[in-house]
Each structure stands twice: as C-alpha cells, then as structure tokens.
Amino acid sequence: MELKSNIPSGPMDQKWEKHRFDLKLVNPANKRKYTVLVVGTGLAGASAAASLAELGYNVKVFCFQDSPRRAHSIAAQGGINAAKNYCNDGDSVHRLFYDTVKGGDYRAREANVHRLAEISVSIIDQCVAQGVPFAREYGGLLANRSFGGTQVSRTFYARGQTGQQLLLGAYQAMMRQVGLGKVQLLPRTEMLDLVLVNGAARGVVTRHLVTGKLEVHTGDAVCLATGGYGNVFFLSTNAKGSNVTAAWRAARRGALFANPCFTQIHPTCIPVSGDHQSKLTLMSESLRNDGRIWVPTKNGDTRSPSSIPEAERDYYLERRYPSFGNLVPRDVASRAAKSACDEGRGVGPGGKGVYLDFGDAVQRLGQKAIAEKYGNLFDMYQRITDENPYKVPMRIYPAIHYTMGGLWVDYNLMSNIPGLYVLGEANFSDHGANRLGASALMQGLADGYFIIPYTIGDYLAKTKLDKVAPDHAECNRVKQDVSERLQKLMAGKGKRTVDSIHRELGKLLWDKCGMARNAAGLKEALGKLPDLREEFWKNVTIPGSGESFNQSLERAGRVADFLEFAEVLLTDAHDRNESCGGHFREEYQSPEGEAQRDDVNFAHVAAWEYRGPGEKPVLHKEPLTFEIVHPTQRSYK
Amino acid sequence: MASSCGCWVRDFLCSSIGRKTVMAATGLALFGFIVGHLAGNLQAFIPDHGATMKQYADMLHSKPALLWGARIGLLVLLLVHVVTAVSLAIANRAARPVPYQAKAWREASYASRTMMVSGPLILFYVVYHLLHFTTGHAHPDFQAGDPYRNLVIGFSNPLVAIVYIAAMAMLTAHLAHGLWSVAQTLGINHPKYTATLRRLSVLIALLIGAGYISVPVAVLARILK
Amino acid sequence: MKITLHVWRQKGPSDAGRMATYHHEAHADMSFLEMLDTLNEGLTLKGEEPVAFDSDCREGICGMCGIVINGIPHGPRKSTTTCQLHMREFKDGDHITLEPFRAAAFPIVRDLAVDRAAFDRVIQDGGFVSVNTGSCQDANCIPVPKKASDLAMDAAQCIGCGACVASCPNASAMLFVSAKVSHLGLLPQGQPERGDRALRMVHRMDAEGFGNCTNTRECEASCPKDIGVEFIARMNRDFTLSSALERQEKAGGGGG
Ligand SMILES: Cc1cc2nc3c(=O)[nH]c(=O)nc-3n(C[C@H](O)[C@H](O)[C@H](O)COP(=O)(O)OP(=O)(O)OC[C@H]3O[C@@H](n4cnc5c(N)ncnc54)[C@H](O)[C@@H]3O)c2cc1C
Ligand code: HEM
Ligand code: FES
C-alpha cells in the first residue's frame, strides 16, 4: 500500500492557498443532498458539525456523553495558540510553524503544520465573534501569555478554562444548527463499528447507551473526531470515558494507525495517592510560568519542604536548561522529573513527586496576584490533596495526557479509507512526536472549522456515491458483527471486573511503555498482552443486560479494544529504534541523557495495518521531508 | 420558538418571568396598601379615644366612589396576586413530581420556602378581618363608623388578638422575603447594594409587623382602652 | 472508615425506584466517586448490578456528574462538584443518602443518572451568537471592557450540571438559562440578538417543564461554579424589556 499524503506542490506558505483553489466545490443547492456523519462533539467534532451544516450539508453527530457539551475538550485549561503577534514580541505564522515542527521533534509534516499556523489566526477571530470570553487587558483588547515551550506570548486563554469556553463556542454554533434542523444530534450514542460499502466509509453502527439499541446510520462520508487513546494507560488526565473504540474499529476495517507510540506525558499532574485512584488530575502547565520546580539535593530527604534550605534544593530544570528553565517542553520536563525520582530524590508518598514551588512568586507578586492567575487551580489542588499550595509547595508528577499518534490521514484529513475523515486528537497529523502546549485546541478547531469544510467538499464533488440505506447488506453484516461481540461480552460471568483488567493493562503499559522505554521491556509487555487479553475474555464479568443502560458493558467494550490496540502501540514503540519527543528509548540517548533521534532511519510516519489479534501488524512508512525547518538536535539549554 | 402564541402580552403573562413580574407588581402594590393601612392603625395611639381615627374613617367614607374604587382595586390586586401564586405553585409542584427523601437547605430562608404557606394564611385572615372589622359580621359588638371602639372591643378577646398577631407574623415573614424578591424579580440586583437590600427587606418587614402587632398588644396590655 | 449508604435504585425511566442500603468501607483520600467505584466493584463481584451514576472528566468541568448527597446537590462542600468531593468530608460511621437530581425536566435514566437534554434544547433555541464560520473580522476590532468580559466569564463558567435545578425547591432552571443569557448579553458580540435570545430561551425553558423561580437563592448556594442570582435579575430585565420592546420579525427577513 502506498501512502499518498497529497501534500500540494508549491512554496510552503502558498500550499494551502493554492490547494483551496484546486479543491472542487459542491454546488450550494447540492449540498443538502449529502449527509455527513460526525462522530464526536469535542472541539474538532462540534466545529466540523457546525461548519458543515452552515454550508448546507446534513449532519448527524454522535457522542457518548449525555450532552455534546461534555466532550473531553471541555477540560483543557491552559490556552490556545495563535500567531497573532498581538504582543509585538516577534511572533509570526512562520515562527509558530517553526516552533511546532521543532517542538514535534521533526516527526510532523511540514505542510500540515504550516497550514495550522496560518489558520490559527482565523480561529481566534471566529471564537471571539462567537462570544468566547477570552482574557482581556484593561484597554479592552485580548490578553496573551506565554505557555510551555515557547518564548513568545501567543497563547489566548479564558481563565483556567480555555477548553471549556472554546468548546461551548463550538457547541453553541452546533446547537444553532440543531435548531435549524441541519444537524441531528445523537447523544449517549456510541459508535461501535464502521460500515464500508465498495471500500468507502458510508456508515456507522451505534449502540444507544440507555436502551442498548443497535442502529445503523448511513451517509456520504464519516468524520471521526473521537479524541485520543490516553486511557489505554488506565490512569491519565483524560476524561474517564475517553477511548480508542471508534478509531480502533476503523483500524480493524482497514484504516492505518499512525505513530501510536507517540504519547505525551504531562509534567504537572497531581501525583497518584492510592490504589483506588480512578484518574489523574492535570495542573495547568501555565503554573510553570511562576512556579519553580525542585527536589532536595540529598537522596531520601524527608524533611518538610520549608525546612530544606536553598542550598540543599536542586532546581534541576533551571540548572540543566538555563535558557528555558522551568519552561522546557513537556517531554523534557517529564523525563527530568522521572530521573530525579529514579535517583531517589522524589518527594511525597512513594517518592513519586517533585515540588512546584510558588514561594518566590508569592513574594515577588503577592498572594493576590497569584490567586488571580491560578486561584482555581490552587483550589483544585487543595481539594484533592488537602494541602495549601500558597504555603506548602505543590507536589507534581508526570502523567499520560495526550496522544500524538492516531489514525493516519492525508493532507485533506482523509484516512486511507475513502470518505473516512479523522479530525482532532484522533488523527496523527500535526504534532509529530511531541505536542506543544496550547496546540491541541488550535488543531482541533483548525480541522473542524477551517479544513474539513473545504476538503470534504472536494471528495463529495469528485466521487460518485450511490445511496446506501441502513438496511444495506453490508450494514446488516456489520451490525451482526457488533451484536455478536456484545453478546460475547455479556456472556462473560467470570471473577474479574472490567476495571481490574484495565488497571492491569494500564500498569503494564506505564511500566514498560511510559516515560522511558526499552526493547527488552517492550518485548516483555508484548509477551504478556495476549495472556491479559485471554484473561479478559475468559474471566471478565458484566452484570445486567445489554438491552439497558449498562456502564460495565460500555467500559468492557472499550477495554477490549484497548487490549487489541495496545499491541500496535507496543509494536510501534518497539520498532522505532530512536528517541524522539514523547517516545524515549533508553538505548538511544546522549551521554547527558538527552533524547537521540535517528533521522536517517526514522524520519517517517509509521502507519500500522492491523491484521488481527496476535498477528504482527504490518508497517507502512510515509517518509517525512523537511524543506524549511531542518532537523537539528532539539536544544533547550 | 417554544410556546409562542403571537400576542406578546399573552406570551409575557404566560411565561415564568412574566408571571413572576405580575407577582412582584401586585405584591408591591399590596405592600403600599399595607403601609397606608398601618399608618391608619397607628392613629389608635393618639390619646384622644379614637377621635382622629374616626375622623380618618369618616373622611374615607365621605368619598364612596374613591373608597369603593380603592376597595375593588385592592381586591383585584389581591385576586391577581393569589391566582398567579396558585398557577405558579401548580407548575412548581409539577416540575418536581418525586420529592427528595432527604432534602437539606443551604441558603433558602424559611420565609422564602413558605411563601405558599404564609400567603394563603394571610388570605384566610383577610377574609376574617373583613368580616370582623369592615362588615362586622364576625364582631361581637360592631358599630359602624367607630373603628377605635370596634378595635378595642375586638382585641379584648385574647383569642382574637392572638389570631391577629399570628397573621401579622405571617405577613412579616411574607414581606421579609417578598420585598427583596420584588427587587430581584424586577431585575434590581447589583453586588453593590443587594446585600443591603436584603437586610432592608427584613428590617422593613419587621417594622411593619411590629407596627401592626403593637395595636392588639396595647389593647391586651390595657394601654388602649 | 465505615459508612452506610442509602442509594436510590431505579432500573429505568418508567420503573418504580426505591432506596437500598449498603455498608461500605472507604478511605479518606478517595474521591466520592472512587468510593462509589469501589462499591460497584464489590457489587459486580457479588453478581449484583452496580449503581449507575454519570461522570466523565472527574475534575469538575464537564458537568456530567451530579448526585444529591444528604439532600444537597454535589454534597456538603461548597463550590465543588460530586467528582471533586473527597471522603475526608465525611466521618467514620456516617450515613449518606444518595439521590438523583430530581426534576420533571430531568427524567431518570437509571439509579443516579438523569437525562439533562432539556438544557441542550434551551441552548439550541437561542444560546449562541449567529455567526457562520469564516465571516468574522479581526478579533481585536471590537474592544471589550475587561470588567464586562470578566463578568461574562463568571456566567460562562457554567458547566451545565443541573445542580441549580436539583437544589431549587421549584426545580427551576433560571440560573442555568440566565448564565447563558448574561454571558452573551454582556459582550458586544452578543448584542444584536440579545433581546430575542432572552425571549426564546425563556420560552423554551418554560416549555421544558422547569419550575418557576421564587428567589430562594438555593441555586446560587449549590452552584459548583458560584454563579450568582445576579444573572437571574439581569435576565428578568432583558426578558421583560424585550417582551415589551422587541419588534416582530418581518416575513422574509432571514432569521435563524
Ligand atoms: C486535562 C487536559 C488539559 C488540556 N489542556 C490543553 C490546553 O490547555 N491546550 C491545548 O491545546 N490542549 C489541551 N489539552 C488537549 C486537548 O484538550 C485535546 O487534545 C482536545 O480537546 C481533543 O479534542 P477532540 O475534539 O479531538 O476530542 P475530544 O474532545 O476528546 O472529544 C471526543 C468526542 O468523541 C466522542 N466519542 C469518542 N468515542 C466515541 C464513540 N465510540 N462513539 C461516539 N462518540 C465518541 C466523545 O463523546 C467526544 O464527544 C488538554 C487535555 C487534557 C486532558
Ligand atoms: C396583603 C397581602 C400580601 C402582600 C403585601 C403580599 C406581598 C408579596 C410580595 C411583595 C411578594 C414578592 C413578589 C416577588 O416574588 O417578586 C409576594 C410573593 C408571594 N405572595 Fe404575596 N402578598 C400578599 C398576599 C398574598 C396572598 C393572599 C397569597 C396567597 C396565595 C400570597 C402568595 C404569595 C406567594 C406564593 C408569593 C411568592 C411568589 C413567587 O415568588 O413566585 N401573597 N407577596
Ligand atoms: S465528572 Fe466532570 S464535572 Fe464531575
């Protein structure tokens, strides 16, 4: 299989412009004849549904939550990047492009990233017009801040709830179209499979989570905007429901899964406190603007932080990376925390934590100023840990947060399955091996508001699509598959709960494929996976029935998919013999412990074709070329 | 648009906020009457054995058109207030068909939760009150045109006085929440003065309650004879 | 710590419900929902059906969770969602009553999970600014006074959990609706549709079967995001004024 990225020719900064002209248009009167299925109502899904409906397409949109407004995007805290250069500090489209390619450790497509940087500007305009209450200066203009990993202030934010406000903007735009009859909303409806007719994506099989009813929805194209797969690790900062099911079901039908081993670990999360823990909580990275990260210089120093004198504190990020200090990118900060803890200098229960100290900032700016900036985060921290971060330094530890990998898509965001588009975190496209802070929101909205409306039209205009009714033979066949699988799940009356197996899977991955990985560990994990899968299918128990609201069944389906998907993730991590971005292979590091890329052998996108459980997935490579930002060793010293 | 019938007055009056506004407007007008009425009652304390009060009553009765106009106006206000209250209460009950087994309150004051108790009790009292002091049907020794005398005789019966005091306590509770509520319903709320407004509401209600209650208490204490 | 839970169990929207009692061992460090997770693990292993409850983000922002705990939506700690509540708020030996958010407009899905789609329908009838993608001028063209923007944000923080409805003696949704009316009404971008928006959203709110506000302020006290009844006053103003002043739309005038 040849992977055609369909990157337009021409100079980098004119590709998108040119491409937009080359894309075919659908006559306005014909748009209402098409139906697009959008799975997911996060930033990517909601913005796509709204924009497509505004153009005149009929849209059906699905989410598993009770309301589309609850999609996981709601939880994003810190902000959204845009190359507005409102701060006059040297930002530009080119710089955002450059930072993102470099930040992604040279594993993203330049053309995609450049387009993202161009579009970033319009996103802010769009959101402001929708009434997103971004932070403002006293003069009434928009405020910006600098955000993890950049030296310019290009991040727009709405207190600590940027994702919420952006999502509500997109959600409201979508709900307007629901009111106008252009979007049909199907909440509490989970996509469980993809229907291909003549090789093209034409429908989805869904289960209504309240009634358990299986339904087939057909259309002319399918957009998956179903978010990331971070929950394969069980403990992550993702919402409990986030899952890989939709993407994985597409992969089982032939879509390629790209770069699954590129997972991001966020450095500033609240450490794990016990076995009962159900998820991890992120403290916005913006905290690193004013907080200083340190551990005691002595191993196993259990004194209270206030009684450790300055001289016995190691501000290791400031020491190791003098020019970026506490603001180094996420992967670098996370690994540094891990090595500090591995050396035995970690703090808190189990030594799995480092201090994030606001003592200096409170002295310099006053408690009031700090409260104004981070009040809600401090409150959240206190609620969870019962400690007052104004007085005692916060304890933080890295946690799985975001997944750069995802379904492979071309420049038009179409997967290798015709008519199957993938948007937002669910695709692999723009962040390479590491995503910069405040760039996921940007990408999700770019995909939904400004890319898919153009590219999907091109496909619909060029492709002859016969009508597919929900009782089409292929639909029935897929529905039958889904139904059998659900029955098989329900039949399990063993001794293990779904969560206990999910936890076990998560621990295996975190230990062997977390912040640092090595071939031996990955092999070991790959060896254990089939047993765990077998354990699941043999020994899981799901009470209740499949014809009702059954949360155990929902979770079981997701965990079953994680168990299959994990194999591809581990294989990718095992076969990528280099360290880059979020993928740190212990064998490939410099003497100072920095990640060492291998641009000769691994400057490619690894797109995996799934061949069934237990079979080694097949690798397809899309080579990456760098015309403008030439790969160098990333240095934040 | 949901539940629109095209006529804006009907739309407004059928809406939740519209009906609330009616409650507030009628409540406020009734409150105006309550203040006026209190001024009349307090004349009892002028130590002239009811001469001023009688004069005031005569004055009112000398203009029957005005008196009946006011009476009918007040009755209509009360009727509208009551009917609207009932319609809102029915909707409110329907909005929570299954009650909580355990319900705790964080903020809602007792008075605010019992408007539908204090209100109807006031209504019963108003009927009794009219039969007692206006038409005299429920009065042991009614003499038209001599309110002071009627009042002293009426309240000399401790039971009657207690009923009156209890009714005025209801009125106090009703207004303690009601007055602030009027402001809120009409859209008057600002962090600068809302807290004060709320306190003022309670204070005014207490003053009014005290004013009304002072009369039967004074009769019982034989200050008014 | 040992606790006794009294939990509302109901199989489906039209089934009769009842309270069930469970004795459970919890840790002070657990979140409330983790406590329920462990309860459910135990029930599952005993072959009983676990207690259904909604949650997703578990960090107080998605608005999916919501249980009435000892008579208070989201439980005893102020400005906190159920998912952010920790067991350290309770003591050994406590009896805890768990009920779903109760309102006719929020039909029960199962046990403690309810359907809050009525909120979406209220938004659908006016909780937006009608701008199509791509038709906007530069974001800094219209300055917005910082104070207006901050106040708009206070309202916009609403997570749509429905605690206001659950806590209100009348199951009124005024706080939720007013938060959106105010958020958009406070910004210049929301001005063109301000009057109409208030009318449409309030009429929809009424049609959904929510109760009427009696200004008890219980909603404000139960709101995990501290949204105040100040916004209800604002909406009352907008609604009343535009009821009286809005013109009828001319036929053929576009709209939408
Ligand atoms: C705590 C946290 C903070 C973050 N902060 C930032 C930040 O400050 N800046 C930034 O840029 N990024 C941030 N991110 C990352 C960013 O929020 C996400 O990457 C982004 O929101 C993903 O959006 P999405 O639209 O792709 O998917 P999501 O928002 O995850 O939405 C997925 C949607 O798909 C639906 N869905 C999933 N599976 C199915 C299925 N099988 N059937 C039907 N529907 C399904 C869900 O219901 C949901 O509607 C943060 C992430 C986290 C976890
Ligand atoms: C002279 C007598 C009365 C006065 C001065 C009075 C005054 C008021 C006032 C000022 C309010 C507040 C309005 C608002 O919420 O904005 C109110 C509310 C109310 N009144 Fe009365 N009232 C009187 C009699 C009654 C009676 C007889 C009833 C009987 C049904 C009644 C029932 C109510 C109810 C239920 C409310 C609350 C309505 C709501 O908040 O939705 N009132 N009243
Ligand atoms: S689960 Fe998201 S707010 Fe509680």
Side-chain angles (χ1 to χ4, degrees):
Chain A
M1 188 183 322
E2 194 205 346
L3 292 177
K4 283 219 289 237
S5 62
N6 291 322
I7 295 172
S9 58
M12 192 59 71
D13 54 354
Q14 287 162 32
K15 281 183 196 286
W16 177 232
E17 180 85 32
K18 173 175 171 304
H19 192 61
R20 274 195 299 174
F21 181 74
D22 293 340
L23 290 171
K24 285 202 121 183
L25 301 176
V26 178
N27 174 327
N30 281 342
K31 290 202 178 93
R32 62 169 182 269
K33 295 181 189 155
Y34 291 106
T35 299
V36 180
L37 308 177
V38 177
V39 188
T41 58
L43 286 179
S47 59
S51 306
L52 291 172
E54 284 162 13
L55 289 173
Y57 296 109
N58 301 306
V59 178
K60 275 191 182 183
V61 58
F62 308 84
C63 69
F64 64 74
Q65 291 92 346
D66 72 329
S67 161
R69 65 181 287 155
R70 310 203 197 283
H72 167 61
S73 296
I74 201 98
Q77 301 169 350
I80 177 167
N81 285 334
K84 284 280 195 188
N85 193 27
Y86 282 162
C87 292
N88 197 28
D89 56 357
D91 199 12
S92 62
V93 167
H94 191 79
R95 187 175 296 281
L96 176 53
F97 157 68
Y98 177 91
D99 287 352
T100 308
V101 174
K102 177 184 169 202
D105 220 356
Y106 308 96
R107 291 294 174 262
R109 284 193 201 125
E110 276 191 324
N112 283 53
V113 177
H114 201 279
R115 172 176 66 185
L116 178 63
E118 289 167 49
I119 290 174
S120 69
V121 177
S122 315
I123 294 174
I124 303 302
D125 300 344
Q126 178 66 25
C127 295
V128 166
Q130 286 170 344
V132 170
F134 283 123
R136 292 187 178 261
E137 305 288 356
Y138 284 99
L141 301 185
L142 291 160
N144 290 122
R145 63 180 170 208
S146 93
F147 201 71
T150 53
Q151 287 169 310
V152 289
S153 291
R154 62 160 77 100
T155 304
F156 294 78
Y157 60 100
R159 299 207 183 130
Q161 290 116 292
T162 316
Q164 179 197 29
Q165 295 309 315
L166 295 174
L167 181 64
L168 292 181
Y171 155 77
Q172 288 164 198
M174 180 177 80
M175 292 313 287
R176 172 174 160 241
Q177 297 301 322
V178 173
L180 293 172
K182 291 305 292 179
V183 171
Q184 189 191 341
L185 182 66
L186 294 118
R188 287 215 206 255
T189 306
E190 183 165 26
M191 166 183 162
L192 291 182
D193 219 327
L194 179 72
V195 180
L196 306 187
V197 177
N198 299 329
R202 296 302 303 272
V204 295
V205 176
T206 59
R207 176 170 181 271
H208 190 262
L209 298 179
V210 177
T211 61
K213 199 162 166 257
L214 293 186
E215 280 178 341
V216 179
H217 300 268
T218 56
D220 299 288
V222 178
C223 295
L224 296 187
T226 48
Y229 51 83
N231 276 351
V232 67
F233 290 87
F234 187 74
L235 285 182
S236 86
T237 64
N238 287 9
K240 285 295 284 174
S242 298
N243 66 84
V244 78
T245 290
W248 186 244
R249 294 282 123 193
R252 289 184 59 117
R253 299 266 166 217
L256 300 183
F257 214 108
N259 297 340
C261 79
F262 289 165
T263 51
Q264 182 167 73
I265 309 232
H266 197 290
T268 50
C269 301
I270 302 178
V272 179
S273 74
D275 297 335
H276 49 262
Q277 191 115 4
S278 62
K279 75 156 275 171
L280 295 170
T281 304
L282 171 82
M283 298 270 93
S284 168
E285 184 158 35
S286 60
L287 291 170
R288 285 201 274 147
N289 286 344
D290 287 301
R292 299 179 67 197
I293 294 175
W294 63 275
V295 289
T297 45
K298 279 206 300 266
N299 274 14
D301 191 339
T302 52
R303 285 176 292 175
S304 80
S306 57
S307 53
I308 301 180
E310 259 325 285
E312 290 172 50
R313 298 176 175 196
D314 179 13
Y315 295 90
Y316 56 88
L317 287 177
E318 297 170 23
R319 171 172 59 77
R320 286 170 62 181
Y321 308 99
S323 73
F324 277 70
N326 292 299
L327 293 177
V328 290
R330 292 178 175 172
D331 52 338
V332 179
S334 298
R335 263 194 315 274
K338 177 176 156 58
S339 37
C341 294
D342 288 350
E343 286 160 23
R345 299 191 290 146
V347 297
K352 288 257 183 282
V354 300
Y355 288 125
L356 177 62
D357 196 337
F358 288 85
D360 282 3
V362 169
Q363 259 188 10
R364 184 160 41 92
L365 307 166
Q367 177 154 337
K368 194 162 159 274
I370 294 296
E372 207 161 88
K373 266 186 166 162
Y374 309 114
N376 61 335
L377 296 170
F378 278 38
D379 290 349
M380 182 152 94
Y381 181 84
Q382 183 158 21
R383 228 176 260 137
I384 293 173
T385 61
D386 213 18
E387 290 173 5
N388 178 355
Y390 293 104
K391 305 233 153 67
V392 189
M394 281 185 182
R395 283 175 298 110
I396 54 165
Y397 197 66
I400 291 285
H401 173 60
Y402 180 87
T403 54
M404 280 74 67
L407 290 179
W408 182 89
V409 289
D410 68 3
Y411 188 73
N412 294 319
L413 304 184
M414 187 158 88
S415 69
N416 57 309
I417 296 178
L420 178 68
Y421 288 81
V422 191
L423 281 59
E425 192 173 339
N427 72 24
F428 88 103
S429 69
D430 296 355
H431 306 294
N434 175 50
R435 175 176 70 80
L436 292 182
S439 289
L441 302 181
M442 170 171 74
Q443 182 227 332
L445 291 180
D447 289 359
Y449 282 135
F450 294 108
I451 299 175
I452 198 74
Y454 293 91
T455 58
I456 212 167
D458 183 64
Y459 170 74
L460 295 173
K462 280 186 191 154
T463 317
K464 186 171 159 3
L465 294 160
D466 299 324
K467 197 138 190 72
V468 174
D471 58 357
H472 188 281
E474 202 47 37
C475 298
N476 286 335
R477 204 177 63 78
V478 178
K479 191 172 162 191
Q480 188 58 31
D481 286 355
V482 172
S483 165
E484 278 163 17
R485 182 163 174 274
L486 288 171
Q487 276 163 19
K488 195 168 151 210
L489 281 170
M490 285 307 305
K493 291 280 173 260
K495 294 189 289 293
R496 299 273 309 258
T497 62
V498 175
D499 271 9
S500 78
I501 295 180
H502 193 178
R503 257 178 219 281
E504 201 176 322
L505 170 68
K507 188 165 180 335
L508 180 70
L509 285 176
W510 179 246
D511 288 346
K512 305 294 174 196
C513 194
M515 265 186 285
R517 306 150 176 192
N518 59 54
L522 291 163
K523 260 224 147 61
E524 187 191 327
L526 275 166
K528 285 188 177 159
L529 211 48
D531 301 340
L532 193 55
R533 249 196 324 260
E534 197 183 310
E535 167 77 1
F536 176 84
W537 286 104
K538 256 191 25 208
N539 217 358
V540 77
T541 178
I542 302 167
S545 91
E547 283 77 49
S548 66
F549 190 57
N550 188 335
Q551 294 173 311
S552 310
L553 177 61
E554 286 171 36
R555 282 201 292 267
R558 293 171 194 159
V559 171
D561 286 334
F562 279 136
L563 283 165
E564 286 178 10
F565 163 72
E567 186 145 349
V568 182
L569 194 163
L570 289 168
T571 308
D572 187 38
H574 178 267
D575 285 13
R576 190 171 274 279
N577 290 319
E578 64 163 350
S579 293
C580 65
H583 172 64
F584 187 77
R585 282 281 298 269
E586 283 162 348
E587 305 95 312
Y588 308 100
Q589 53 180 313
S590 70
E592 307 93 67
E594 300 298 339
Q596 247 171 3
R597 272 197 336 263
D598 177 352
D599 290 328
V600 178
N601 294 306
F602 288 96
H604 62 240
V605 177
W608 297 92
E609 183 186 342
Y610 184 67
R611 285 287 174 85
E615 284 200 45
K616 189 169 168 163
V618 178
L619 175 64
H620 302 271
K621 292 182 188 173
E622 178 200 333
L624 292 169
T625 50
F626 294 89
E627 290 170 36
I628 307 219
V629 193
H630 294 291
T632 54
Q633 181 71 34
R634 272 196 312 163
S635 166
Y636 294 94
K637 290 201 189 289
Chain B
M1 193 195 293
S3 79
S4 155
C5 63
C7 162
W8 72 269
V9 180
R10 258 189 62 194
D11 275 354
F12 181 69
L13 293 181
C14 292
S15 72
S16 53
I17 298 181
R19 282 184 286 168
K20 282 289 301 168
T21 309
V22 170
M23 284 309 283
T26 52
L28 193 62
L30 290 171
F31 169 70
F33 164 74
I34 292 288
V35 173
H37 190 325
L38 175 61
N41 289 6
L42 292 179
Q43 292 171 3
F45 286 101
I46 300 172
D48 59 1
H49 288 278
T52 319
M53 228 182 169
K54 191 167 164 31
Q55 229 173 358
Y56 173 66
D58 288 345
M59 190 266 290
L60 291 180
H61 282 271
S62 68
K63 302 196 179 62
L66 217 79
L67 179 67
W68 279 102
R71 279 179 173 169
I72 291 170
L74 280 170
L75 275 178
V76 168
L77 280 176
L78 191 64
L79 202 70
V80 171
H81 191 78
V82 170
V83 169
T84 314
V86 170
S87 86
L88 286 169
I90 290 172
N92 290 347
R93 198 131 312 157
R96 175 159 303 130
V98 185
Y100 290 108
Q101 311 245 332
K103 180 77 184 113
W105 302 99
R106 227 182 204 142
E107 184 67 50
S109 62
Y110 194 73
S112 74
R113 285 184 277 124
T114 51
M115 293 298 269
M116 209 47 205
V117 176
S118 58
L121 287 177
I122 295 171
L123 185 64
F124 288 135
Y125 181 74
V126 167
V127 174
Y128 167 69
H129 186 69
L130 290 176
L131 294 175
H132 190 208
F133 285 136
T134 308
T135 68
H137 288 86
H139 197 283
D141 181 15
F142 186 73
Q143 218 158 73
D146 195 349
Y148 182 78
R149 186 182 159 280
N150 290 342
L151 165 166
V152 172
I153 293 176
F155 287 146
S156 307
N157 180 346
L159 201 68
V160 172
I162 286 170
V163 168
Y164 182 93
I165 291 171
M168 291 309 106
M170 288 298 129
L171 181 65
T172 307
H174 203 74
L175 291 179
H177 174 65
L179 289 178
W180 173 77
S181 186
V182 167
Q184 169 73 7
T185 300
L186 298 180
I188 304 165
N189 182 329
H190 194 285
K192 274 188 185 155
Y193 52 67
T194 289
T196 315
L197 220 57
R198 251 195 325 261
R199 265 178 247 130
L200 214 60
S201 171
V202 176
L203 185 71
I204 294 175
L206 283 173
L207 284 177
I208 290 200
Y212 276 106
I213 289 170
S214 67
V215 177
V217 168
V219 172
L220 287 183
R222 311 203 53 77
I223 297 168
L224 296 181
K225 287 180 278 213
Chain C
M1 60 202 275
K2 279 198 167 38
I3 47 170
T4 306
L5 298 167
H6 304 281
V7 185
W8 182 260
R9 302 297 313 253
Q10 178 173 341
K11 270 192 176 309
S14 45
D15 294 292
R18 63 183 176 87
M19 296 301 275
T21 301
Y22 303 97
H23 300 281
H24 191 53
E25 182 77 42
H27 283 281
D29 279 343
M30 281 180 175
S31 76
F32 196 81
L33 296 185
E34 284 163 358
M35 180 276 289
L36 286 182
D37 286 344
T38 53
L39 173 76
N40 280 343
E41 293 268 294
L43 290 176
T44 303
L45 291 177
K46 277 196 282 179
E48 290 176 40
E49 291 193 43
V51 178
F53 63 91
D54 271 326
S55 77
D56 199 22
C57 73
R58 297 213 175 178
E59 48 186 69
I61 191 73
C62 73
M64 184 116 173
C65 64
I67 300 174
V68 175
I69 302 168
N70 288 340
I72 295 185
H74 294 307
R77 190 172 167 136
K78 260 205 80 141
S79 319
T80 304
T81 54
T82 305
C83 61
Q84 289 180 298
L85 186 69
H86 278 71
M87 292 310 291
R88 64 178 80 92
E89 303 290 327
F90 300 89
K91 340 181 272 302
D92 190 47
D94 271 359
H95 282 248
I96 309 175
T97 306
L98 281 74
E99 294 178 79
F101 282 6
R102 291 201 185 280
F106 290 170
I108 291 182
V109 168
R110 191 189 176 103
D111 298 340
L112 303 173
V114 298
D115 174 7
R116 287 160 290 193
F119 273 6
D120 291 321
R121 292 189 291 268
V122 170
I123 297 293
Q124 160 189 330
D125 270 18
F128 46 74
V129 176
S130 298
V131 288
N132 282 357
T133 304
S135 54
C136 324
Q137 80 282 52
D138 186 86
N140 258 348
C141 274
I142 307 175
V144 181
K146 185 173 185 309
K147 284 182 187 160
S149 163
D150 285 350
L151 191 57
M153 182 65 196
D154 287 344
Q157 294 192 82
C158 169
I159 58 174
C161 63
C164 45
V165 176
S167 68
C168 173
N170 317 309
S172 163
M174 288 282 273
L175 193 64
F176 168 78
V177 181
S178 72
K180 190 47 65 190
V181 166
S182 303
H183 156 213
L184 297 174
L186 276 159
L187 296 171
Q189 287 80 6
Q191 292 313 304
E193 296 167 286
R194 178 169 167 189
D196 225 27
R197 177 181 304 119
L199 288 180
R200 291 160 60 115
M201 291 181 73
V202 170
H203 285 308
R204 173 57 106 167
M205 167 182 88
D206 292 348
E208 290 292 342
F210 291 107
N212 307 283
C213 174
T214 47
N215 300 331
T216 65
R217 290 157 61 241
E218 192 63 21
C219 52
E220 167 181 284
S222 304
C223 174
K225 299 292 148 183
D226 296 326
I227 293 168
V229 295
E230 184 191 346
F231 295 118
I232 296 184
R234 199 170 261 285
M235 174 164 81
N236 290 342
R237 247 165 22 225
D238 279 4
F239 179 81
T240 305
L241 282 178
S242 52
S243 283
L245 302 177
E246 276 289 310
R247 285 172 194 276
Q248 291 284 310
E249 201 170 324
K250 286 210 180 70

